[in-house]
Structures are given as structure tokens and as C-alpha cells.
């Protein structure tokens, strides 16, 4: 063993919880929150890091920069669409939600934040779990989810509705043998004008090459409580991850609205020269299954006893 000289003894102490974590409103004190089911579609885009920098100013966060093969570095944004349910003691909750996020990390963790490619990051190789999602805007169609997000985590969350058609085990199948559609059509409606939209995203994942991956727990950051809040999202199960080819990137259709809603403005600013880089999907398994019935009295084709 080499002699490295005297080691500095750390000043070990703990801080009362009230100095570390936000106080929970009484109606939301049953944390952690458990999802009964979850379906996600996350699409990632490379963007210019300099365009992203103003969004971390004063937050204590840094924009995560991912090296490309040509030696340049890019920031990454994502649209995190999710459908989930919750079981309460007196009701069931259903939520459709999207997070518009920027990948970032806490500045006070430097120099312990690893630099790696986006491929490595999405395959769970940041074992420090410090690179995470800064929530720039969050929309949900459930008022309780909006209130909880704002008061518990400081999310910039607002109420809005969605129009969507996404893959599901209960969707109609086509062809012989039957094939399930892998087409995702998502529209976030403008809260200020129900005939308008914030964005429309259309992706067809048929024949994509998917790799099972585990990148949880995922750090998530929000700044709406006056200080930056860090939470960890643990998704129980594996993502399916695809690194997009140039042809697949070109097939990702994102249309951003032309209105002056704040999320729309920020999307237009950040998506100034986007390249879709990767996609992830997650589906929690069904809890039970019931197939179609059959006639008990049928013993030979349609002949009855």
C-alpha cells in the first residue's frame, strides 16, 4: 500500500430535515408516491449548449454536455410523455402528463460528475446518478397532479389537455398474424385556445432496434419553490431504448405551435436546430389478464347439446 500522507478528516454532521427538504403540505404528506401503472415515451434531441445555458442561470445546475464523434459537444432536451394511474384509499387517479426537460446536473457535485456519451447515459452508465432532468415546463390533465407537482416539488406545472393515440395491449390489432401498431401521436393543447396546440409529435417505432436498459433512479430538478429541488424517480422495470439512425431521426415529426404561450416560446427557442438522437419507451406489465369467453355447451364446432 502506498503512503499518501495524512488524510483530511471530514467534518461529519447532519442537518435537520427541515433544512434539507421542503415541508410537505398536509394533503400531500403520504410520500413517496406510488404509481399503479405507467406508460412513457421519451424522445431526446441534441441542441446547442449555448442556447441552453440561460435556463440554468441561478439554479445551481449546469447544462450536461455530451461529446459527439466529431469532437463537438451538445446539450440534450427531451419530451417526456407519460400516462399513469394511482390507487388511493377512496378513489383511483388517472393522469396524462408531459415534461419538457433539459439534461443537467448540480454544480456542487463537480468534479464528481462523469462525462459520457448520450448512448452511455441512456444505458444507465452514470452510476453517480447526478445527471438528470431539469423540468422547464410540465403539463398535466389532472388538477391534483398539478397542485402536488407545484407544492411538493416546485415543478413549473400547469393544467392542460392532450389528444393522443399511442400503442397499448388493448388497441386493435391488424393483419394476419395480427400486429400491434407502434405509432405514437401526441398533441398538447394550448390552455389559452382549445383550437390551438403547443406541440404535436408523431413517431412510428415499427421495426426499431430496441435494447432493454435500466437508467433509474433518474434525478429530476425543479426550481419553483425558491430553491432548486432534487428528487429521484425510480421506475420499476426496464426501458426499451433506441439510438436513432439518421433516417429514423428524419422521420420524427415535431410541430411546434405559433402561439405566445410560454412553453411554446421556449420550445421554439430551444428547438432552433434540433436533431432527434434517441427514444425510450416504458410499459408497466398488466396486473391481470382476461381473454374472451367460450360457450360451455359447445362440444363440436357450433353444435349445441
Amino acid at each position: 500500500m502506498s503512503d499518501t500522507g495524512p488524510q483530511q478528516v471530514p467534518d461529519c454532521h447532519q442537518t435537520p430535515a427541515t433544512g434539507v427538504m421542503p415541508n410537505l403540505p398536509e394533503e400531500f404528506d403520504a410520500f413517496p408516491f406510488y404509481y399503479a401503472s405507467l406508460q412513457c415515451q421519451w424522445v431526446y434531441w441534441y441542441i446547442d449548449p449555448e442556447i441552453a445555458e440561460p435556463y440554468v442561470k441561478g439554479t445551481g445546475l449546469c447544462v450536461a454536455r455530451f461529446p459527439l464523434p466529431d469532437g463537438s459537444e451538445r446539450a440534450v432536451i427531451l419530451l417526456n410523455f407519460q400516462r399513469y394511474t394511482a390507487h388511493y384509499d377512496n378513489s383511483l387517479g388517472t393522469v396524462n402528463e408531459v415534461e419538457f426537460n433539459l439534461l443537467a446536473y448540480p454544480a456542487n457535485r463537480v468534479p464528481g460528475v462523469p462525462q459520457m456519451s448520450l448512448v452511455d447515459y441512456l444505458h444507465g452508465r452514470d452510476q453517480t446518478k447526478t445527471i438528470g432532468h431539469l423540468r422547464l415546463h410540465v403539463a398535466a390533465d389532472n388538477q391534483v397532479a398539478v397542485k402536488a407537482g407545484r407544492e411538493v416539488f416546485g415543478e413549473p406545472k400547469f393544467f392542460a389537455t392532450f389528444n393522443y393515440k399511442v400503442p397499448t395491449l388493448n388497441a386493435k390489432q391488424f393483419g394476419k398474424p395480427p400486429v400491434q401498431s407502434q405509432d405514437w401521436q401526441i398533441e398538447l393543447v394550448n390552455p389559452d385556445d382549445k383550437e390551438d396546440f403547443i406541440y404535436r409529435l408523431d413517431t412510428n417505432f415499427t421495426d426499431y432496434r430496441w435494447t432493454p436498459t435500466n437508467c433509474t433512479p433518474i434525478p429530476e430538478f425543479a426550481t419553483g419553490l425558491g430553491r432548486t429541488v432534487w428528487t429521484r424517480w425510480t421506475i420499476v422495470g426496464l426501458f426499451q431504448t433506441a439510438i436513432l439512425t439518421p433516417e429514423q431521426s428524419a422521420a420524427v415529426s415535431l410541430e411546434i405551435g405559433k402561439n405566445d404561450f410560454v412553453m411554446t416560446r421556449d420550445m421554439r427557442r430551444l428547438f432552433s436546430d434540433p436533431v432527434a438522437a434517441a427514444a425510450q419507451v416504458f410499459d408497466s406489465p398488466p396486473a391481470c389478464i382476461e381473454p374472451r369467453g367460450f360457450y360451455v355447451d359447445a362440444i363440436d364446432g357450433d353444435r349445441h347439446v
Side-chain angles (χ1 to χ4, degrees):
M1 180 180 294
S2 62
D3 183 6
T4 58
Q7 300 296 306
Q8 182 177 358
V9 178
D11 180 16
C12 298
H13 66 280
Q14 292 176 267
T15 303
T18 53
V20 177
M21 296 181 285
N23 293 324
L24 289 176
E26 185 176 350
E27 63 185 302
F28 298 126
D29 64 356
F31 269 81
F33 176 78
Y34 292 92
Y35 295 71
S37 66
L38 174 66
Q39 181 186 41
C40 293
Q41 183 231 49
W42 299 0
V43 181
Y44 297 79
W45 287 266
Y46 286 125
I47 65 165
D48 183 346
E50 301 310 315
I51 297 177
E53 284 295 340
Y55 290 88
V56 299
K57 185 177 181 180
T59 67
L61 300 173
C62 299
V63 174
R65 296 173 179 244
F66 297 87
L68 298 184
D70 64 4
S72 65
E73 294 180 334
R74 302 291 276 171
V76 171
I77 52 178
L78 66 142
L79 286 171
N80 165 351
F81 177 73
Q82 48 192 277
R83 305 195 299 157
Y84 58 89
T85 62
H87 290 182
Y88 300 111
D89 55 356
N90 61 355
S91 63
L92 295 174
T94 61
V95 184
N96 298 294
E97 184 170 318
V98 69
E99 296 181 4
F100 178 36
N101 294 336
L102 168 69
L103 294 189
Y105 60 87
N108 63 6
R109 300 287 165 158
V110 175
V113 181
Q115 186 177 47
M116 60 181 62
S117 68
L118 181 63
V119 175
D120 284 343
Y121 172 74
L122 294 181
H123 285 74
R125 293 167 188 158
D126 173 19
Q127 289 303 302
T128 69
K129 301 302 181 186
T130 47
I131 302 172
H133 302 177
L134 170 59
R135 296 160 164 137
L136 302 178
H137 298 280
V138 185
D141 64 1
N142 181 298
Q143 292 284 15
V144 175
V146 172
K147 187 175 182 180
R150 296 178 70 90
E151 295 185 8
V152 176
F153 301 115
E155 298 177 37
K157 201 166 190 173
F158 60 93
F159 182 83
T161 57
F162 296 83
N163 297 315
Y164 63 83
K165 186 177 181 181
V166 301
T168 172
L169 291 174
N170 290 325
K172 183 177 180 180
Q173 297 181 341
F174 302 92
K176 292 185 180 295
V179 176
Q180 287 187 319
S181 169
Q182 293 301 311
D183 189 21
W184 295 69
Q185 301 172 22
I186 303 165
E187 178 186 75
L188 175 58
V189 177
N190 178 6
D192 293 339
D193 182 354
K194 304 305 181 185
E195 301 301 317
D196 195 11
F197 64 93
I198 293 175
Y199 77 89
R200 292 171 176 157
L201 179 63
D202 192 349
T203 53
N204 192 324
F205 292 149
T206 304
D207 297 328
Y208 275 34
R209 180 181 176 182
W210 298 99
T211 302
T213 56
N214 171 31
C215 54
T216 62
I218 299 168
E220 296 216 314
F221 311 107
T223 61
L225 294 180
R227 297 167 62 185
T228 299
V229 177
W230 179 351
T231 185
R232 295 186 186 273
W233 196 17
T234 300
I235 297 176
V236 182
L238 295 177
F239 281 90
Q240 299 296 319
T241 297
I243 306 303
L244 304 187
T245 66
E247 293 78 13
Q248 290 169 337
S249 297
V252 173
S253 174
L254 175 66
E255 184 180 2
I256 301 172
K258 303 183 185 304
N259 54 73
D260 202 40
F261 191 78
V262 60
M263 179 173 171
T264 316
R265 291 201 311 266
D266 282 339
M267 290 188 71
R268 286 199 300 266
R269 185 176 297 116
L270 285 164
F271 278 99
S272 60
D273 183 26
V275 178
Q280 290 184 307
V281 295
F282 177 86
D283 270 295
S284 54
C288 62
I289 302 164
E290 184 173 9
R292 63 182 295 183
F294 62 93
Y295 293 117
V296 173
D297 59 353
I299 60 173
D300 183 13
D302 291 330
R303 186 169 66 87
H304 301 276
V305 290

